[in-house]
Amino acid sequence: MTDQSLSKAQARRIALRAQGFLPQMRSLKRIDRRHIDRLFEHVALLQIDSVNVLDRAHYLTAFARLGDYDKATLDRLTHDVSQKGQPKDYFEYWGHEASLVPVSLYPALRWRMERARRHQGVWRKLSRYAREHPDVIRQVQQDIADRGPLCVSDLEKRGSRSSSWWGWNDSKLALEFLFWCGHIVAAGRQGFTRYYDLPERVIPAEFLNAEPLDEQDAQRHLMMLAAKSNGIGTEKCLKDYFRLSTEEARTALGSLVEDGTIEAVKVEGWDAPTYLFKDASLPARANCQALLAPFDSLIWYRDRAEALFDFHYRIEIYVPKEQRRFGYYVLPFLLGDRLVARLDLKANRQEAILEVFAAYGEKGINKHKVSEALAKELALMAGWMKLEAIRVGERGDLAGSLKESVSKL
Protein backbone atom coordinates (compact mmCIF):
# COMPACT_ATOMS: atom_id res chain seq x y z
CA MET A 1 0.00 0.00 0.00
CA THR A 2 1.32 3.41 -0.98
CA ASP A 3 1.85 6.11 1.62
CA GLN A 4 -0.39 8.47 -0.36
CA SER A 5 -3.45 9.41 1.68
CA LEU A 6 -6.46 11.41 0.55
CA SER A 7 -9.28 13.05 2.45
CA LYS A 8 -12.83 12.16 1.55
CA ALA A 9 -13.28 15.67 0.08
CA GLN A 10 -10.26 15.12 -2.18
CA ALA A 11 -11.65 11.76 -3.28
CA ARG A 12 -14.96 13.44 -4.14
CA ARG A 13 -13.26 16.07 -6.30
CA ILE A 14 -11.23 13.42 -8.11
CA ALA A 15 -14.43 11.46 -8.80
CA LEU A 16 -16.32 14.53 -10.00
CA ARG A 17 -13.50 15.47 -12.36
CA ALA A 18 -13.33 11.95 -13.74
CA GLN A 19 -17.11 11.90 -14.30
CA GLY A 20 -17.12 15.08 -16.36
CA PHE A 21 -18.53 17.49 -13.78
CA LEU A 22 -15.33 19.54 -13.48
CA PRO A 23 -14.86 21.85 -15.21
CA GLN A 24 -18.57 22.12 -15.93
CA MET A 25 -19.32 22.00 -19.66
CA ARG A 26 -22.74 23.48 -19.01
CA SER A 27 -21.14 26.94 -18.82
CA LEU A 28 -20.55 26.80 -22.59
CA LYS A 29 -22.91 28.81 -24.79
CA ARG A 30 -23.41 26.06 -27.36
CA ILE A 31 -23.20 22.32 -26.92
CA ASP A 32 -22.39 20.30 -30.04
CA ARG A 33 -21.20 16.80 -30.87
CA ARG A 34 -17.68 17.57 -29.65
CA HIS A 35 -19.08 17.93 -26.16
CA ILE A 36 -21.10 14.70 -26.50
CA ASP A 37 -17.87 12.95 -27.47
CA ARG A 38 -16.10 14.54 -24.50
CA LEU A 39 -18.91 13.35 -22.23
CA PHE A 40 -18.36 9.75 -23.37
CA GLU A 41 -14.61 10.15 -22.85
CA HIS A 42 -15.43 10.77 -19.19
CA VAL A 43 -18.27 8.35 -18.50
CA ALA A 44 -17.47 5.66 -21.14
CA LEU A 45 -21.16 4.70 -21.43
CA LEU A 46 -24.68 5.97 -20.72
CA GLN A 47 -27.21 3.66 -19.13
CA ILE A 48 -30.57 3.38 -20.89
CA ASP A 49 -33.76 2.85 -18.92
CA SER A 50 -37.40 2.72 -19.91
CA VAL A 51 -38.73 4.86 -17.04
CA ASN A 52 -39.95 8.16 -18.49
CA VAL A 53 -41.65 9.82 -15.53
CA LEU A 54 -39.22 12.73 -15.88
CA ASP A 55 -37.11 11.90 -18.96
CA ARG A 56 -35.06 8.97 -20.20
CA ALA A 57 -32.03 8.16 -18.07
CA HIS A 58 -29.38 8.80 -20.74
CA TYR A 59 -30.79 12.25 -21.51
CA LEU A 60 -30.78 13.17 -17.81
CA THR A 61 -27.22 11.93 -17.27
CA ALA A 62 -26.07 14.13 -20.15
CA PHE A 63 -28.11 17.09 -18.85
CA ALA A 64 -26.42 16.86 -15.45
CA ARG A 65 -23.09 17.57 -17.15
CA LEU A 66 -24.05 19.57 -20.25
CA GLY A 67 -27.02 21.63 -19.07
CA ASP A 68 -29.38 22.98 -21.72
CA TYR A 69 -28.27 20.86 -24.67
CA ASP A 70 -30.31 19.76 -27.67
CA LYS A 71 -31.33 16.12 -27.24
CA ALA A 72 -31.45 15.81 -31.03
CA THR A 73 -27.65 16.17 -31.04
CA LEU A 74 -27.34 13.06 -28.89
CA ASP A 75 -30.03 11.27 -30.87
CA ARG A 76 -28.25 11.85 -34.17
CA LEU A 77 -25.17 10.09 -32.81
CA THR A 78 -26.96 7.22 -31.10
CA HIS A 79 -30.61 6.74 -32.09
CA ASP A 80 -31.12 7.93 -35.68
CA VAL A 81 -32.55 5.14 -37.86
CA SER A 82 -33.39 7.32 -40.86
CA GLN A 83 -30.00 6.66 -42.51
CA LYS A 84 -30.31 2.96 -43.35
CA GLY A 85 -26.92 1.28 -43.51
CA GLN A 86 -25.12 4.34 -42.12
CA PRO A 87 -22.42 3.28 -39.62
CA LYS A 88 -22.69 4.86 -36.16
CA ASP A 89 -20.29 6.31 -33.62
CA TYR A 90 -22.21 4.83 -30.68
CA PHE A 91 -24.25 1.67 -30.31
CA GLU A 92 -26.34 -0.14 -27.70
CA TYR A 93 -25.19 -3.18 -25.82
CA TRP A 94 -24.84 -4.63 -22.33
CA GLY A 95 -22.31 -2.44 -20.56
CA HIS A 96 -23.67 -1.38 -17.20
CA GLU A 97 -27.06 -2.92 -17.90
CA ALA A 98 -28.39 -1.76 -21.31
CA SER A 99 -26.11 1.09 -22.34
CA LEU A 100 -25.00 3.40 -25.11
CA VAL A 101 -21.30 2.82 -25.75
CA PRO A 102 -18.76 4.06 -28.33
CA VAL A 103 -18.31 1.73 -31.32
CA SER A 104 -14.61 1.63 -30.46
CA LEU A 105 -15.62 -0.69 -27.59
CA TYR A 106 -17.14 -3.25 -29.95
CA PRO A 107 -14.01 -5.51 -29.99
CA ALA A 108 -13.86 -5.36 -26.18
CA LEU A 109 -17.48 -6.51 -25.85
CA ARG A 110 -17.34 -9.37 -28.32
CA TRP A 111 -16.52 -11.81 -25.50
CA ARG A 112 -19.94 -11.15 -24.01
CA MET A 113 -21.53 -11.88 -27.38
CA GLU A 114 -19.54 -15.09 -27.72
CA ARG A 115 -20.56 -16.17 -24.23
CA ALA A 116 -24.21 -15.51 -25.07
CA ARG A 117 -23.88 -17.75 -28.13
CA ARG A 118 -22.75 -20.47 -25.73
CA HIS A 119 -25.80 -19.66 -23.56
CA GLN A 120 -23.64 -18.14 -20.83
CA GLY A 121 -24.33 -14.83 -19.14
CA VAL A 122 -27.82 -14.61 -20.67
CA TRP A 123 -31.09 -14.49 -18.76
CA ARG A 124 -31.91 -18.11 -18.07
CA LYS A 125 -35.43 -18.03 -19.51
CA LEU A 126 -34.19 -16.28 -22.64
CA SER A 127 -31.51 -18.93 -23.16
CA ARG A 128 -34.03 -21.70 -22.61
CA TYR A 129 -36.36 -20.17 -25.18
CA ALA A 130 -33.55 -20.01 -27.77
CA ARG A 131 -32.64 -23.67 -27.17
CA GLU A 132 -36.26 -24.76 -27.54
CA HIS A 133 -37.09 -22.62 -30.60
CA PRO A 134 -34.06 -22.50 -32.93
CA ASP A 135 -36.39 -22.24 -35.94
CA VAL A 136 -37.84 -18.95 -34.65
CA ILE A 137 -34.34 -17.61 -33.94
CA ARG A 138 -33.22 -18.42 -37.51
CA GLN A 139 -36.33 -16.93 -39.11
CA VAL A 140 -36.17 -13.67 -37.16
CA GLN A 141 -32.48 -13.29 -38.03
CA GLN A 142 -33.34 -13.87 -41.69
CA ASP A 143 -36.13 -11.29 -41.53
CA ILE A 144 -33.65 -8.72 -40.20
CA ALA A 145 -31.15 -9.62 -42.93
CA ASP A 146 -33.80 -9.27 -45.64
CA ARG A 147 -35.69 -6.21 -44.43
CA GLY A 148 -33.80 -4.51 -41.58
CA PRO A 149 -33.79 -2.25 -39.72
CA LEU A 150 -36.94 -3.58 -38.09
CA CYS A 151 -38.66 -3.25 -34.74
CA VAL A 152 -40.65 -6.00 -33.07
CA SER A 153 -43.96 -4.75 -34.48
CA ASP A 154 -42.54 -5.12 -38.02
CA LEU A 155 -42.14 -8.86 -37.48
CA GLU A 156 -44.72 -11.59 -37.64
CA LYS A 157 -46.41 -12.05 -34.28
CA ARG A 158 -45.39 -15.45 -33.01
CA GLY A 159 -46.76 -17.09 -29.87
CA SER A 160 -48.90 -15.62 -27.12
CA ARG A 161 -47.80 -12.85 -24.84
CA SER A 162 -46.29 -13.92 -21.52
CA SER A 163 -46.76 -11.87 -18.35
CA SER A 164 -43.44 -13.17 -17.04
CA TRP A 165 -41.64 -11.53 -19.96
CA TRP A 166 -43.22 -8.06 -19.84
CA GLY A 167 -45.72 -9.14 -22.49
CA TRP A 168 -42.99 -10.28 -24.91
CA ASN A 169 -44.09 -12.55 -27.76
CA ASP A 170 -41.84 -15.07 -29.49
CA SER A 171 -40.47 -12.57 -32.02
CA LYS A 172 -39.39 -10.24 -29.21
CA LEU A 173 -37.74 -13.09 -27.33
CA ALA A 174 -35.84 -14.08 -30.47
CA LEU A 175 -34.76 -10.48 -31.08
CA GLU A 176 -33.41 -10.11 -27.56
CA PHE A 177 -31.44 -13.35 -27.75
CA LEU A 178 -29.96 -12.42 -31.14
CA PHE A 179 -29.13 -8.96 -29.82
CA TRP A 180 -27.32 -10.39 -26.80
CA CYS A 181 -25.35 -12.72 -29.09
CA GLY A 182 -24.36 -9.86 -31.40
CA HIS A 183 -25.98 -11.52 -34.43
CA ILE A 184 -28.04 -8.33 -34.72
CA VAL A 185 -27.45 -4.88 -33.22
CA ALA A 186 -29.55 -1.85 -32.42
CA ALA A 187 -29.73 0.40 -35.47
CA GLY A 188 -31.36 3.13 -33.39
CA ARG A 189 -34.65 4.07 -31.82
CA GLN A 190 -37.79 5.98 -32.67
CA GLY A 191 -39.30 7.20 -29.44
CA PHE A 192 -38.13 4.37 -27.21
CA THR A 193 -38.77 1.63 -29.78
CA ARG A 194 -35.56 -0.15 -30.69
CA TYR A 195 -34.84 -1.04 -34.34
CA TYR A 196 -32.54 -3.94 -35.17
CA ASP A 197 -30.22 -4.57 -38.10
CA LEU A 198 -27.18 -6.63 -39.04
CA PRO A 199 -23.87 -5.56 -37.45
CA GLU A 200 -22.25 -4.89 -40.84
CA ARG A 201 -24.88 -2.24 -41.56
CA VAL A 202 -24.38 -0.41 -38.26
CA ILE A 203 -20.88 -0.98 -36.84
CA PRO A 204 -18.05 0.70 -38.83
CA ALA A 205 -15.89 -1.86 -40.63
CA GLU A 206 -12.71 -0.93 -38.75
CA PHE A 207 -14.31 -2.04 -35.46
CA LEU A 208 -16.54 -4.80 -36.84
CA ASN A 209 -13.58 -6.53 -38.51
CA ALA A 210 -11.05 -5.79 -35.78
CA GLU A 211 -9.63 -8.79 -33.96
CA PRO A 212 -11.82 -9.25 -30.86
CA LEU A 213 -10.00 -9.04 -27.55
CA ASP A 214 -9.79 -12.30 -25.66
CA GLU A 215 -11.80 -12.41 -22.46
CA GLN A 216 -8.97 -11.50 -20.11
CA ASP A 217 -7.69 -8.60 -22.25
CA ALA A 218 -11.24 -7.34 -22.76
CA GLN A 219 -12.00 -7.41 -19.05
CA ARG A 220 -8.73 -5.65 -18.31
CA HIS A 221 -9.65 -2.94 -20.81
CA LEU A 222 -13.10 -2.50 -19.29
CA MET A 223 -11.62 -2.30 -15.79
CA MET A 224 -9.17 0.33 -17.04
CA LEU A 225 -12.05 2.38 -18.43
CA ALA A 226 -13.91 1.95 -15.15
CA ALA A 227 -10.86 3.23 -13.25
CA LYS A 228 -10.58 6.19 -15.63
CA SER A 229 -14.28 7.06 -15.33
CA ASN A 230 -14.35 6.65 -11.55
CA GLY A 231 -11.00 8.36 -10.99
CA ILE A 232 -10.76 6.63 -7.65
CA GLY A 233 -12.52 3.60 -6.23
CA THR A 234 -12.47 0.21 -4.59
CA GLU A 235 -12.51 -3.10 -6.42
CA LYS A 236 -16.29 -3.21 -6.01
CA CYS A 237 -16.67 0.30 -7.48
CA LEU A 238 -14.62 -0.63 -10.52
CA LYS A 239 -16.12 -4.05 -11.23
CA ASP A 240 -19.66 -2.68 -10.99
CA TYR A 241 -19.07 -0.16 -13.77
CA PHE A 242 -19.18 -2.79 -16.54
CA ARG A 243 -20.79 -5.44 -14.34
CA LEU A 244 -17.82 -7.80 -14.23
CA SER A 245 -17.67 -10.75 -11.87
CA THR A 246 -15.43 -10.62 -8.82
CA GLU A 247 -13.02 -13.13 -10.33
CA GLU A 248 -12.83 -11.26 -13.65
CA ALA A 249 -12.34 -7.91 -11.94
CA ARG A 250 -9.72 -9.18 -9.51
CA THR A 251 -7.53 -10.62 -12.27
CA ALA A 252 -7.79 -7.40 -14.28
CA LEU A 253 -7.13 -5.29 -11.17
CA GLY A 254 -3.89 -7.11 -10.44
CA SER A 255 -2.68 -6.50 -13.98
CA LEU A 256 -3.55 -2.78 -13.81
CA VAL A 257 -1.68 -2.37 -10.53
CA GLU A 258 1.31 -4.24 -11.87
CA ASP A 259 1.74 -2.01 -14.93
CA GLY A 260 1.04 1.23 -13.05
CA THR A 261 -2.32 2.06 -14.65
CA ILE A 262 -3.74 2.34 -11.13
CA GLU A 263 -2.08 2.66 -7.74
CA ALA A 264 -3.24 1.77 -4.27
CA VAL A 265 -4.04 4.75 -2.01
CA LYS A 266 -5.67 5.41 1.34
CA VAL A 267 -8.87 7.40 1.66
CA GLU A 268 -10.12 8.81 4.93
CA GLY A 269 -12.77 6.54 6.42
CA TRP A 270 -12.51 3.83 3.76
CA ASP A 271 -11.53 0.37 4.97
CA ALA A 272 -11.48 -1.43 1.62
CA PRO A 273 -8.35 -1.21 -0.60
CA THR A 274 -8.74 1.80 -2.88
CA TYR A 275 -7.17 2.57 -6.25
CA LEU A 276 -6.34 5.83 -8.04
CA PHE A 277 -6.20 6.04 -11.85
CA LYS A 278 -2.78 7.15 -13.06
CA ASP A 279 -4.08 10.21 -14.95
CA ALA A 280 -6.70 11.25 -12.39
CA SER A 281 -6.48 14.88 -11.37
CA LEU A 282 -7.42 16.64 -8.15
CA PRO A 283 -9.24 19.97 -8.73
CA ALA A 284 -8.60 22.69 -6.18
CA ARG A 285 -12.33 23.14 -5.61
CA ALA A 286 -15.69 21.94 -6.87
CA ASN A 287 -18.42 24.27 -8.12
CA CYS A 288 -20.80 21.58 -9.35
CA GLN A 289 -24.55 21.97 -9.56
CA ALA A 290 -26.70 19.16 -10.96
CA LEU A 291 -29.71 16.96 -10.39
CA LEU A 292 -28.68 13.31 -10.76
CA ALA A 293 -30.95 10.70 -12.28
CA PRO A 294 -31.14 7.39 -10.39
CA PHE A 295 -29.19 5.81 -13.28
CA ASP A 296 -26.42 8.40 -13.38
CA SER A 297 -22.99 6.75 -13.41
CA LEU A 298 -21.79 8.94 -10.53
CA ILE A 299 -24.20 7.12 -8.20
CA TRP A 300 -24.78 3.73 -9.90
CA TYR A 301 -23.04 1.87 -7.14
CA ARG A 302 -24.99 2.94 -4.06
CA ASP A 303 -22.32 1.91 -1.56
CA ARG A 304 -19.87 4.16 -3.41
CA ALA A 305 -22.31 7.09 -3.22
CA GLU A 306 -22.59 6.55 0.50
CA ALA A 307 -18.82 6.24 1.01
CA LEU A 308 -18.02 9.32 -1.11
CA PHE A 309 -20.87 11.62 -0.15
CA ASP A 310 -22.21 10.20 3.14
CA PHE A 311 -25.49 9.95 1.24
CA HIS A 312 -27.69 6.87 1.63
CA TYR A 313 -29.66 6.46 -1.58
CA ARG A 314 -31.98 3.76 -2.87
CA ILE A 315 -34.38 3.97 -5.80
CA GLU A 316 -37.97 3.40 -4.67
CA ILE A 317 -39.71 2.81 -8.01
CA TYR A 318 -40.42 -0.80 -7.12
CA VAL A 319 -41.33 -0.09 -3.49
CA PRO A 320 -45.09 -0.03 -2.69
CA LYS A 321 -46.28 3.58 -2.46
CA GLU A 322 -47.14 3.41 1.23
CA GLN A 323 -43.62 2.15 2.03
CA ARG A 324 -41.67 4.79 0.11
CA ARG A 325 -39.58 7.11 2.23
CA PHE A 326 -38.81 9.89 -0.27
CA GLY A 327 -40.88 9.24 -3.42
CA TYR A 328 -41.18 7.41 -6.72
CA TYR A 329 -38.49 9.03 -8.92
CA VAL A 330 -36.06 10.78 -6.63
CA LEU A 331 -33.03 12.73 -7.86
CA PRO A 332 -30.16 13.68 -5.54
CA PHE A 333 -28.96 17.27 -5.85
CA LEU A 334 -25.23 17.84 -6.23
CA LEU A 335 -24.01 21.24 -5.00
CA GLY A 336 -20.30 21.96 -4.77
CA ASP A 337 -18.85 18.57 -3.95
CA ARG A 338 -21.74 17.32 -1.77
CA LEU A 339 -25.12 15.70 -2.28
CA VAL A 340 -27.24 18.11 -0.28
CA ALA A 341 -30.87 17.31 -1.09
CA ARG A 342 -33.21 14.95 -2.93
CA LEU A 343 -36.33 15.73 -4.97
CA ASP A 344 -39.22 13.56 -6.14
CA LEU A 345 -39.81 14.88 -9.67
CA LYS A 346 -42.17 14.34 -12.57
CA ALA A 347 -42.66 16.01 -15.93
CA ASN A 348 -46.38 16.79 -16.14
CA ARG A 349 -46.46 17.10 -19.92
CA GLN A 350 -50.22 17.64 -20.16
CA GLU A 351 -50.01 20.82 -18.10
CA ALA A 352 -46.41 21.67 -19.12
CA ILE A 353 -45.37 21.71 -15.45
CA LEU A 354 -42.29 20.34 -13.72
CA GLU A 355 -43.76 18.77 -10.58
CA VAL A 356 -41.75 18.69 -7.36
CA PHE A 357 -43.78 16.28 -5.25
CA ALA A 358 -41.30 16.32 -2.37
CA ALA A 359 -38.05 18.04 -1.38
CA TYR A 360 -35.78 16.81 1.40
CA GLY A 361 -32.55 18.41 2.61
CA GLU A 362 -29.57 16.61 4.12
CA LYS A 363 -28.61 17.21 7.72
CA GLY A 364 -26.68 20.39 8.42
CA ILE A 365 -27.29 22.19 5.10
CA ASN A 366 -28.07 25.88 4.71
CA LYS A 367 -31.66 25.51 3.51
CA HIS A 368 -31.86 29.00 2.03
CA LYS A 369 -28.67 28.58 0.01
CA VAL A 370 -29.61 25.10 -1.19
CA SER A 371 -33.15 26.17 -2.09
CA GLU A 372 -31.92 29.11 -4.16
CA ALA A 373 -29.51 26.86 -6.09
CA LEU A 374 -32.20 24.21 -6.52
CA ALA A 375 -34.71 26.73 -7.85
CA LYS A 376 -32.24 27.81 -10.54
CA GLU A 377 -31.48 24.19 -11.43
CA LEU A 378 -35.17 23.38 -11.69
CA ALA A 379 -35.72 26.40 -13.93
CA LEU A 380 -32.88 25.23 -16.17
CA MET A 381 -34.37 21.73 -16.32
CA ALA A 382 -37.89 22.98 -17.01
CA GLY A 383 -36.66 25.17 -19.85
CA TRP A 384 -34.66 22.30 -21.34
CA MET A 385 -37.73 20.06 -21.17
CA LYS A 386 -39.99 22.76 -22.68
CA LEU A 387 -42.09 22.94 -19.51
CA GLU A 388 -43.60 26.30 -18.64
CA ALA A 389 -43.79 26.25 -14.85
CA ILE A 390 -42.54 24.60 -11.67
CA ARG A 391 -44.96 23.40 -9.00
CA VAL A 392 -43.60 22.54 -5.56
CA GLY A 393 -45.63 20.26 -3.30
CA GLU A 394 -45.79 20.16 0.49
CA ARG A 395 -43.84 17.01 1.35
CA GLY A 396 -40.34 17.22 2.76
CA ASP A 397 -38.48 19.52 5.14
CA LEU A 398 -37.10 21.57 2.22
CA ALA A 399 -40.43 22.07 0.44
CA GLY A 400 -41.38 25.39 2.06
CA SER A 401 -38.02 27.03 1.47
CA LEU A 402 -37.85 25.72 -2.10
CA LYS A 403 -41.37 26.95 -2.89
CA GLU A 404 -40.37 30.43 -1.74
CA SER A 405 -37.20 30.38 -3.86
CA VAL A 406 -39.12 29.18 -6.94
CA SER A 407 -41.67 31.96 -6.48
CA LYS A 408 -38.89 34.55 -6.76
CA LEU A 409 -37.61 33.33 -10.13
Side-chain angles (χ1 to χ4, degrees):
M1 174 69 75
T2 182
D3 290 334
Q4 184 176 2
S5 295
L6 298 167
S7 68
K8 194 176 290 189
Q10 288 174 319
R12 284 196 295 270
R13 297 202 299 274
I14 289 170
L16 290 167
R17 173 71 178 87
Q19 277 284 298
F21 286 98
L22 295 170
Q24 285 203 311
M25 288 185 278
R26 57 169 51 195
S27 61
L28 300 172
K29 290 184 178 180
R30 182 175 179 272
I31 300 294
D32 56 31
R33 75 150 297 159
R34 295 171 300 169
H35 306 107
I36 301 292
D37 291 339
R38 193 186 307 170
L39 169 65
F40 275 96
E41 288 175 10
H42 282 284
V43 299
L45 72 169
L46 293 175
Q47 185 177 347
I48 303 169
D49 191 82
S50 60
V51 177
N52 196 31
V53 66
L54 184 63
D55 209 334
R56 302 294 182 189
H58 60 292
Y59 291 137
L60 291 170
T61 300
F63 173 76
R65 293 153 180 80
L66 301 176
D68 189 11
Y69 75 101
D70 184 0
K71 289 190 288 187
T73 303
L74 181 57
D75 287 343
R76 280 191 293 271
L77 297 175
T78 59
H79 287 339
D80 187 11
V81 293
S82 63
Q83 301 279 332
K84 182 176 180 179
Q86 180 69 39
K88 297 192 179 302
D89 295 310
Y90 300 90
F91 76 111
E92 290 185 35
Y93 194 62
W94 295 102
H96 181 95
E97 301 297 332
S99 305
L100 289 168
V101 298
V103 290
S104 59
L105 275 185
Y106 186 80
L109 292 169
R110 289 278 297 275
W111 65 279
R112 276 192 171 149
M113 300 174 192
E114 294 296 335
R115 277 192 180 181
R117 295 172 191 183
R118 300 193 301 268
H119 297 271
Q120 298 172 0
V122 183
W123 294 330
R124 188 175 302 171
K125 291 182 180 180
L126 195 61
S127 175
R128 186 175 66 203
Y129 175 84
R131 289 180 187 276
E132 294 173 354
H133 300 88
D135 54 330
V136 177
I137 300 295
R138 284 193 297 269
Q139 185 56 57
V140 169
Q141 186 173 358
Q142 189 61 53
D143 288 344
I144 297 294
D146 293 341
R147 302 188 288 124
L150 301 176
C151 65
V152 65
S153 63
D154 293 327
L155 296 168
E156 177 186 344
K157 292 183 178 178
R158 300 174 174 90
S160 59
R161 290 183 175 272
S162 167
S163 60
S164 63
W165 279 97
W166 305 287
W168 289 3
N169 61 28
D170 286 18
S171 292
K172 176 62 174 173
L173 291 169
L175 282 172
E176 289 303 316
F177 181 75
L178 288 165
F179 173 76
W180 212 315
C181 293
H183 291 311
I184 60 175
V185 297
R189 291 180 183 262
Q190 289 183 356
F192 203 65
T193 300
R194 184 194 282 159
Y195 282 74
Y196 302 85
D197 210 339
L198 298 180
E200 55 265 35
R201 299 201 285 244
V202 176
I203 306 298
E206 64 176 301
F207 302 114
L208 180 70
N209 300 325
E211 187 70 22
L213 301 181
D214 66 36
E215 289 195 8
Q216 200 167 87
D217 286 343
Q219 291 155 10
R220 182 189 182 283
H221 185 65
L222 296 178
M223 278 289 279
M224 182 278 292
L225 288 176
K228 178 175 180 284
S229 293
N230 278 289
I232 190 169
T234 65
E235 177 189 302
K236 289 183 177 180
C237 295
L238 304 187
K239 81 182 184 73
D240 182 72
Y241 211 78
F242 281 94
R243 292 294 170 89
L244 299 176
S245 72
T246 298
E247 183 180 354
E248 292 163 350
R250 194 157 292 166
T251 299
L253 195 67
S255 174
L256 294 173
V257 170
E258 185 176 346
D259 70 10
T261 299
I262 60 176
E263 64 172 317
V265 295
K266 296 177 181 177
V267 175
E268 169 197 0
W270 290 17
D271 295 328
T274 305
Y275 303 92
L276 179 70
F277 184 64
K278 63 177 182 177
D279 295 327
S281 61
L282 173 58
R285 62 181 184 277
N287 58 344
C288 305
Q289 182 170 306
L291 283 161
L292 306 176
F295 307 103
D296 192 296
S297 48
L298 181 66
I299 54 172
W300 271 339
Y301 186 47
R302 307 307 191 201
D303 289 351
R304 173 179 170 82
E306 191 160 1
L308 268 176
F309 298 100
D310 299 311
F311 189 90
H312 181 79
Y313 178 57
R314 297 292 183 271
I315 190 167
E316 298 182 273
I317 290 173
Y318 307 109
V319 175
K321 184 176 181 180
E322 63 277 7
Q323 296 178 25
R324 290 178 196 141
R325 183 180 176 190
F326 296 110
Y328 180 78
Y329 200 75
V330 174
L331 281 71
F333 181 50
L334 172 67
L335 185 63
D337 69 346
R338 301 302 302 264
L339 296 178
V340 296
R342 60 189 90 203
L343 273 64
D344 184 14
L345 297 178
K346 179 181 179 178
N348 181 337
R349 295 174 178 88
Q350 287 187 327
E351 297 183 60
I353 290 173
L354 179 57
E355 302 273 12
V356 184
F357 293 128
Y360 297 89
E362 290 298 287
K363 184 178 179 180
I365 65 167
N366 181 321
K367 289 187 177 182
H368 177 71
K369 179 181 177 181
V370 170
S371 294
E372 284 193 337
L374 256 177
K376 292 176 183 177
E377 188 66 17
L378 289 168
L380 182 68
M381 177 175 278
W384 172 66
M385 299 181 72
K386 307 295 190 293
L387 302 175
E388 298 170 2
I390 302 164
R391 183 159 58 202
V392 182
E394 303 297 328
R395 285 194 296 117
D397 63 293
L398 199 61
S401 178
L402 180 58
K403 184 179 293 188
E404 182 179 350
S405 294
V406 167
S407 69
K408 295 177 181 177
L409 292 174

